[in-house]
Amino acid sequence: MSRPHPNSHLIGDLQARSALATPALILDLPVLEANLSTGMRLVKDAGKAFRPHFKAHKSLDIARRQLELGATGICVATLSEAEAACELGAELLLTSIISTDAQCKRIAALAASGATIIAVVDHPDVALRLESVLQGTCGALDVLIDLDMRRARSGCATPKAAAELGNLVSASPTLRLRGVQAYAGQLSHMTSCKERSAAHAEFTSRLAAFKFALSHILPDDPIVSGGSTGSMNLDLSGPLTELQCGSYALMDVEYLNVEPGWTAWPFKPALRVQSSVLSTHWDAHAITDAGDKWFADKYGAAPRIVLGAPETAVFEPISDEHARLVTEAKLHPGDRIECLPPHCDPTINLFAAYHVFAGEQLRDIWPIEARGL
Amino acid sequence: MSRPHPNSHLIGDLQARSALATPALILDLPVLEANLSTGMRLVKDAGKAFRPHFKAHKSLDIARRQLELGATGICVATLSEAEAACELGAELLLTSIISTDAQCKRIAALAASGATIIAVVDHPDVALRLESVLQGTCGALDVLIDLDMRRARSGCATPKAAAELGNLVSASPTLRLRGVQAYAGQLSHMTSCKERSAAHAEFTSRLAAFKFALSHILPDDPIVSGGSTGSMNLDLSGPLTELQCGSYALMDVEYLNVEPGWTAWPFKPALRVQSSVLSTHWDAHAITDAGDKWFADKYGAAPRIVLGAPETAVFEPISDEHARLVTEAKLHPGDRIECLPPHCDPTINLFAAYHVFAGEQLRDIWPIEARGL
C-alpha cells in the first residue's frame, strides 16, 4: 500500500505518455481546468450556489481547484469521503442517508473534530439516533430533510412524512434544520432532452409540494440541494438553490451518449485509460492489459478508443487483466491504446492515482484519496 | 490513503460483527483455513505442485498461510502484484504476458532486487525486448512459453510458433526456459461437468501436441503450469505438473452456481459483504449502503443474501453507493445484511481490507496489498 507508484520516476518527463507502466488513468489537465471554469461560470451566472460532488473525482487536488474557483462547499457520498475531504476546510454535505450507530458516531466525531458538515435524514428513528449520539458530544449538527424525488432510493416519500420529520428535527436541541435535499438522479442519463425536460417539470412541481408542506419550519433562505451534470441545463433555471454536479469535471462515454441540454456539451472528456497491447496472434483481434478490473460502466457503454487503433475498432474487457481489441489493423506488442472510460465515478474508484498530463508531459501523479475503504 | 481503517478500533471486540462501519468485506477465518488445507491436501495427494494464485485474494497474510501449508510458490497476475508479493520470498510466476519496455524493466528490476520470478512469453519481439533489458542488468530470467489453449487471449497459437519461440529462448544468454504455461480459463465456469470434461479432454490432447513440438528444448522435469478452481477436479489427474487455482481459498456465488467436479464442492464460501439498511419508505423494497461500487460480477450472478433478510429477498446494486433489497419483509434503518459476492477476485479489488472474523469476534483487519494501482 505504501509502495511508490511505478510511474513516479516519470514526473516531469516531457515524453512520459508513451513510457508509462499501464494500465494508467490519465487526466488531461488543460481539459480539466476548462471544465472546472466553465461549470463554475454557468452556475454562478444562473445565480445559484455550486457544491460540486467529490464522489465523481475523489481527489483533494481537484476539490481544491473547485473551491478556489468559488464553490460554496463540497458534496461527499460516503463517510470515508467526508473523512478524506475534511482537510479541505470546506462545508461538506454528506448526500447519502446514514442509519447505523457506527455511521452516526463517525459523523459526530467528524463534527467534533471541527469539520463543518451537513447530514441528510429521511427517517425519525435515524434523527433520534443521531440526536442521541450527539448528546454525548455536546455538539450540534446541521441537517437537510431528504426528499424522494421518484427514485425510491432514499428520502421522505410524501410531503406529510417530510413535515413530520421536519417537526421532529425543528424541535431537536442538537439538530439544526438547514433545508432539503431533492436529488432526481434518474434524470441524469435520460438520453432524450425532451424526455428529461418533461421529467424535470414533474420534479419541479413535486418539489413545490414538499416545500409547501415544510414552509412553516424551513429557515429563511433554505438550502435546496440537488442536480447532476445530466440535468444541469434545466437546474440552472429550476427551483434548486445549489447544484451538486460532479461528472462535469471529467466527463465520460455515458454522458457523451446523452443529448446535451445545450447545442453541444460545454464539457470535454478529461479522462482516459491507457493500456498496452500484449498479444497479437490472431487475425481479427489483439489483447491489451486493461481488463474489466479497470473499467466500470452502469448503462452498458463500451470504452471509446481515442488513440492507437482505428475508430472502427471495438474495445471489450474480457477478464480482470485483459481486454480484446477487435480490429483487423496490424498491431504490435507494446503499442499504446487510450480509451475514454464508460462511467467516470466507479472507474476512478478502481485506480489509486491520476496521471496528470499536459500533452506528453507527466505533470504530476495525484492520489485518489477517497477510493473505497 | 494513510488514514486508519474506520473499524480498526474494533479489533479483538467479541461483538464486532454488528458494530462495523459498512460496507465491509468479511473473511471467515475458520472457513478460509479449512479451504486452504483441503486445497493443499487434494493437490499434494495427486502428486502435483501447487502454486496458488495471488490475484484471487491479493493478500500477503493469505499467501503466507498457503506457503506454510506447502505451496511451491505463488502465481501473480500483474507486476504490481509481483512487487507486493516479492516480500514473501517465494518463487513467483507472473502468469500474464508483458510487452512494453516499462514492463520488461519492472520485471528486470524485481529480479535484480533478489526476487525469484518466472515470466511467460508468447512473442519473439517481447523475448528480444526482455533480453535487451536484462543485458543491462547482467541478470538472467526464468521463462515459460505461454500456449494458447483456445482462449485466444495470450499464448503461441500453434505448436510451430511455440517451437520457434522456444528455439529463440533456448539460444538466449539471459533467458532460461523452465517449461510452459497452459491455461484454459474458459473451462473454469462451464456449468456442466460433462461439457467441462469434454473441453478438458480436448485441452489435454492439444497440450500434448505443443509438448511434442517443444520436446527437443524443454528441460528435464519441465514446469507445465495451469488450471483453475473450476477445472481442479480434472487437473488433479491431468497433464499439468502444477496447479494455479486461486478462488478455492474464498469461493463465490459464480463458483457455487457451477456443477462441482465432486459430489459436492470441497470448498465453502469464506467471503461476505456486510451492508446496512439505510432507507425503508417503500412497501416492496429497502435500500442498503452496498451499491455496485462494492460488487463485481463476470457471469451475471447476483449477490446471494445469507444474513438479515429472507432467502426469497433479492439484492440488486442500483448505484455506486446503494443497493435495492427487494422483499416485503419489514426491515429497519440500521439492520445488517450479509451477502456472498458474485465473483471474488474483482470484488476484493474494490476493498482496501479484509475484516477477519471468527464468529462475532473481529480477529484482525488484513490489508489487500495488491489492489490495482
Side-chain angles (χ1 to χ4, degrees):
Chain A
M1 307 285 283
S2 54
R3 300 189 306 284
H5 195 284
N7 289 319
S8 302
H9 66 287
L10 292 171
I11 293 174
D13 191 311
L14 294 171
Q15 303 297 328
R17 192 124 172 182
S18 55
L20 295 174
T22 54
L25 186 65
I26 286 184
L27 178 60
D28 188 311
L29 186 60
V31 176
L32 170 77
E33 290 180 338
N35 289 347
L36 296 183
S37 299
T38 302
M40 187 58 69
R41 181 178 50 75
L42 286 167
V43 179
K44 272 192 181 163
D45 287 355
K48 309 275 185 190
F50 199 12
R51 196 190 300 265
H53 221 310
F54 194 69
K55 79 185 170 87
H57 53 67
K58 304 169 181 64
S59 154
L60 295 176
D61 296 279
I62 299 178
R64 277 193 200 99
R65 280 165 172 76
Q66 292 172 317
L67 290 164
E68 281 163 17
L69 286 168
T72 317
I74 294 289
C75 287
V76 292
T78 67
L79 282 157
S80 295
E81 290 178 14
E83 286 155 356
C86 65
E87 72 174 79
L88 294 166
E91 186 184 66
L92 305 178
L93 167 60
L94 176 60
T95 60
S96 297
I97 292 292
I98 57 170
S99 66
T100 63
D101 255 7
Q103 289 164 340
C104 293
K105 284 177 186 162
R106 279 171 86 185
I107 206 166
L110 265 173
S113 77
T116 318
I117 189 157
I118 309 175
V120 300
V121 288
D122 77 348
H123 198 287
D125 289 357
V126 176
L128 294 171
R129 192 169 292 162
L130 259 178
E131 206 175 76
S132 137
V133 166
L134 287 162
Q135 272 164 2
T137 68
C138 309
L141 186 72
D142 286 0
V143 299
L144 305 183
I145 305 290
D146 195 32
L147 308 177
D148 174 18
M149 303 313 290
R150 299 240 187 269
R151 200 166 211 210
R153 198 181 77 173
S154 75
C156 299
T158 61
K160 183 167 173 283
E164 282 169 12
L165 177 59
N167 288 335
L168 191 150
V169 170
S170 291
S172 164
T174 53
L175 302 177
R176 256 190 321 245
L177 185 61
R178 292 277 303 275
V180 297
Q181 175 172 261
Y183 180 65
Q186 73 278 15
L187 272 65
S188 69
H189 284 79
M190 284 181 174
T191 306
S192 142
C193 261
K194 202 172 158 188
E195 192 189 352
R196 217 184 311 143
S197 283
H200 196 268
E202 205 270 330
F203 156 80
T204 301
S205 64
R206 185 168 164 83
L207 175 54
F210 274 106
K211 279 171 68 185
F212 182 77
L214 287 162
S215 53
H216 62 297
I217 43 170
L218 283 177
D220 296 340
D221 294 325
I223 294 173
V224 183
S225 189
S228 72
T229 298
S231 59
M232 190 180 193
N233 68 311
L234 302 163
D235 290 322
L236 289 173
S237 56
L240 300 174
T241 66
E242 69 168 38
L243 268 57
Q244 301 183 351
C245 316
S247 300
Y248 80 100
L250 304 160
M251 295 299 284
D252 55 33
V253 176
E254 291 180 351
Y255 266 121
L256 294 175
N257 287 346
V258 164
E259 270 184 30
W262 299 266
T263 48
W265 274 107
F267 312 115
K268 305 285 173 245
L271 213 56
R272 296 174 174 203
V273 174
Q274 191 191 79
S275 61
S276 301
V277 172
L278 294 178
S279 202
T280 56
H281 291 292
W282 304 274
D283 293 335
H285 76 270
I287 298 291
T288 89
D289 61 357
D292 47 26
K293 211 179 81 180
W294 302 104
F295 288 99
D297 70 85
K298 190 166 158 195
Y299 301 95
R304 184 184 294 178
I305 298 172
V306 284
L307 187 89
E311 266 186 35
T312 53
V314 175
F315 194 95
E316 302 173 331
I318 54 167
S319 64
D320 283 6
E321 311 293 352
H322 297 89
R324 188 193 288 129
L325 180 57
V326 182
T327 177
E328 290 180 10
K330 193 63 199 154
L331 296 167
H332 302 281
D335 287 353
R336 306 274 165 159
I337 309 291
E338 291 185 5
C339 297
L340 308 185
H343 197 58
C344 55
D345 309 22
T347 296
I348 292 163
N349 187 56
L350 299 172
F351 288 85
Y354 292 101
H355 293 76
V356 184
F357 272 89
E360 302 296 305
Q361 186 187 22
L362 180 61
R363 291 286 183 87
D364 207 349
I365 295 181
W366 291 348
I368 293 165
E369 277 95 353
R371 201 180 183 194
L373 279 179
Chain B
M1 304 288 283
S2 54
R3 302 187 306 281
H5 195 284
N7 289 318
S8 301
H9 66 287
L10 292 170
I11 294 175
D13 191 312
L14 295 170
Q15 304 296 331
R17 192 124 172 181
S18 55
L20 294 175
T22 54
L25 186 65
I26 287 184
L27 178 61
D28 187 312
L29 186 60
V31 176
L32 170 76
E33 289 179 337
N35 288 347
L36 296 182
S37 299
T38 302
M40 188 58 69
R41 181 178 50 71
L42 286 167
V43 179
K44 271 192 181 161
D45 287 356
K48 309 276 185 191
F50 199 12
R51 196 188 300 263
H53 221 310
F54 193 69
K55 79 185 169 90
H57 53 66
K58 303 169 181 66
S59 154
L60 295 176
D61 296 278
I62 298 178
R64 279 194 197 96
R65 282 164 171 76
Q66 291 172 317
L67 289 165
E68 279 163 15
L69 286 168
T72 317
I74 295 289
C75 286
V76 291
T78 66
L79 282 157
S80 296
E81 290 179 14
E83 285 156 356
C86 65
E87 73 175 76
L88 294 165
E91 187 184 66
L92 305 178
L93 168 60
L94 176 61
T95 59
S96 296
I97 293 292
I98 57 170
S99 65
T100 62
D101 255 7
Q103 289 166 338
C104 292
K105 284 178 187 164
R106 278 171 86 183
I107 206 167
L110 265 172
S113 76
T116 318
I117 189 156
I118 309 176
V120 300
V121 288
D122 77 348
H123 198 288
D125 288 356
V126 176
L128 294 171
R129 193 167 292 163
L130 258 179
E131 206 176 76
S132 138
V133 167
L134 288 161
Q135 273 165 0
T137 69
C138 309
L141 185 74
D142 287 0
V143 299
L144 306 183
I145 305 289
D146 195 34
L147 308 176
D148 174 18
M149 303 313 290
R150 299 240 186 270
R151 199 163 212 215
R153 198 181 75 174
S154 74
C156 298
T158 62
K160 182 167 172 286
E164 283 170 9
L165 177 58
N167 287 336
L168 190 151
V169 170
S170 290
S172 164
T174 53
L175 303 177
R176 256 189 321 245
L177 184 61
R178 290 277 303 274
V180 297
Q181 175 171 261
Y183 180 66
Q186 73 277 18
L187 273 66
S188 68
H189 284 80
M190 283 181 174
T191 307
S192 142
C193 260
K194 202 170 157 190
E195 192 190 351
R196 217 184 312 145
S197 284
H200 196 269
E202 204 271 332
F203 156 81
T204 302
S205 65
R206 184 169 166 82
L207 175 54
F210 273 107
K211 281 171 66 184
F212 182 76
L214 288 163
S215 53
H216 61 297
I217 43 172
L218 283 177
D220 296 339
D221 294 324
I223 294 174
V224 183
S225 190
S228 72
T229 298
S231 59
M232 190 180 192
N233 69 311
L234 301 163
D235 291 322
L236 289 172
S237 57
L240 300 173
T241 66
E242 69 169 37
L243 269 56
Q244 301 184 350
C245 317
S247 300
Y248 79 101
L250 304 161
M251 295 299 285
D252 56 33
V253 176
E254 291 180 352
Y255 266 122
L256 294 176
N257 286 346
V258 162
E259 270 185 29
W262 299 267
T263 48
W265 275 107
F267 312 115
K268 305 285 174 246
L271 212 56
R272 296 175 174 203
V273 174
Q274 192 192 80
S275 60
S276 301
V277 172
L278 294 179
S279 203
T280 56
H281 291 292
W282 304 275
D283 292 337
H285 76 271
I287 298 291
T288 90
D289 62 357
D292 48 24
K293 212 179 82 181
W294 303 104
F295 289 99
D297 70 84
K298 190 166 158 193
Y299 302 97
R304 185 182 293 179
I305 297 171
V306 286
L307 188 88
E311 265 186 36
T312 52
V314 174
F315 193 96
E316 302 172 332
I318 54 165
S319 64
D320 283 6
E321 311 293 354
H322 298 90
R324 187 194 289 130
L325 181 56
V326 182
T327 177
E328 290 180 12
K330 193 63 202 154
L331 295 166
H332 302 279
D335 286 354
R336 305 274 166 162
I337 309 291
E338 291 185 6
C339 297
L340 307 184
H343 197 57
C344 56
D345 309 22
T347 296
I348 292 162
N349 186 55
L350 300 172
F351 287 86
Y354 292 102
H355 293 77
V356 185
F357 273 89
E360 301 297 304
Q361 186 186 23
L362 180 61
R363 290 287 183 86
D364 207 350
I365 295 181
W366 290 348
I368 294 166
E369 277 95 353
R371 201 182 184 194
L373 279 179

